């Protein structure tokens, strides 16, 4: 099992999760985060820290696409280990549907 970031992180990018991760397996895109599924140790401490409820275990239904999404971008983006402010539109976009199609950017973030 591993944990993955789903589309509710897109356009929010809360980083509370990176602060508690013991293995630094979060990677930063321009407007979202991902977890490298091969580096995640399945401890689960990140899941309750996410204000947007965007972190899910891969054992939930329909998570295969998110495992591959997280893997792909974790190999392209820089690691992030320090908490930052969420994106300015985070509260407004939290819980919005179809964020992958509407807002996702494949560009890397700054990392830390």
């Amino acid at each position: 099992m591993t944990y993955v970031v789903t589309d509710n992180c897109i356009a929010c990018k809360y980083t509370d999760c990176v602060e508690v991760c013991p293995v630094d397996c979060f990677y930063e895109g321009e407007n979202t985060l991902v977890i490298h599924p091969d580096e995640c140790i399945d401890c689960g401490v990140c899941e309750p820290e996410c204000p947007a409820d965007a972190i899910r275990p891969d054992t939930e239904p329909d998570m295969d696409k998110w495992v591959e999404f997280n893997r792909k971008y974790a190999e392209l983006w820089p690691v992030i280990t320090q908490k930052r402010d969420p994106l300015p539109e985070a509260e407004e976009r939290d819980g919005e549907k179809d964020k992958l199609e509407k807002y996702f950017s494949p560009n890397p973030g700054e990392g830390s």
Side-chain angles (χ1 to χ4, degrees):
M1 187 177 90
T2 187
Y3 285 85
V4 293
V5 177
T6 62
D7 62 342
N8 207 37
C9 184
I10 298 168
C12 289
K13 198 165 84 169
Y14 292 102
T15 57
D16 305 62
C17 52
V18 303
E19 197 170 52
V20 299
C21 181
V23 294
D24 299 335
C25 65
F26 281 88
Y27 292 80
E28 183 184 17
E30 182 176 35
N31 68 353
T32 194
L33 303 174
V34 293
I35 296 171
H36 197 302
D38 297 334
E39 295 174 4
C40 176
I41 60 170
D42 312 326
C43 68
V45 297
C46 59
E47 186 180 22
E49 295 300 317
C50 180
D53 194 31
I55 300 173
R56 312 302 315 154
D58 71 344
T59 53
E60 289 187 359
D62 301 319
M63 286 294 124
D64 289 343
K65 73 175 185 177
W66 289 110
V67 171
E68 291 313 309
F69 178 89
N70 278 246
R71 183 185 319 280
K72 175 181 178 177
Y73 289 100
E75 293 175 1
L76 298 172
W77 294 343
V79 70
I80 180 171
T81 60
Q82 297 174 353
K83 183 177 177 179
R84 294 203 190 112
D85 290 336
L87 295 176
E89 66 270 16
E91 283 189 39
E92 178 185 330
R93 300 277 187 245
D94 188 5
E96 190 175 324
K97 300 288 183 204
D98 303 318
K99 289 169 56 172
L100 180 63
E101 293 80 14
K102 293 180 192 175
Y103 307 117
F104 175 69
S105 168
N107 297 328
E110 297 174 25
S112 62

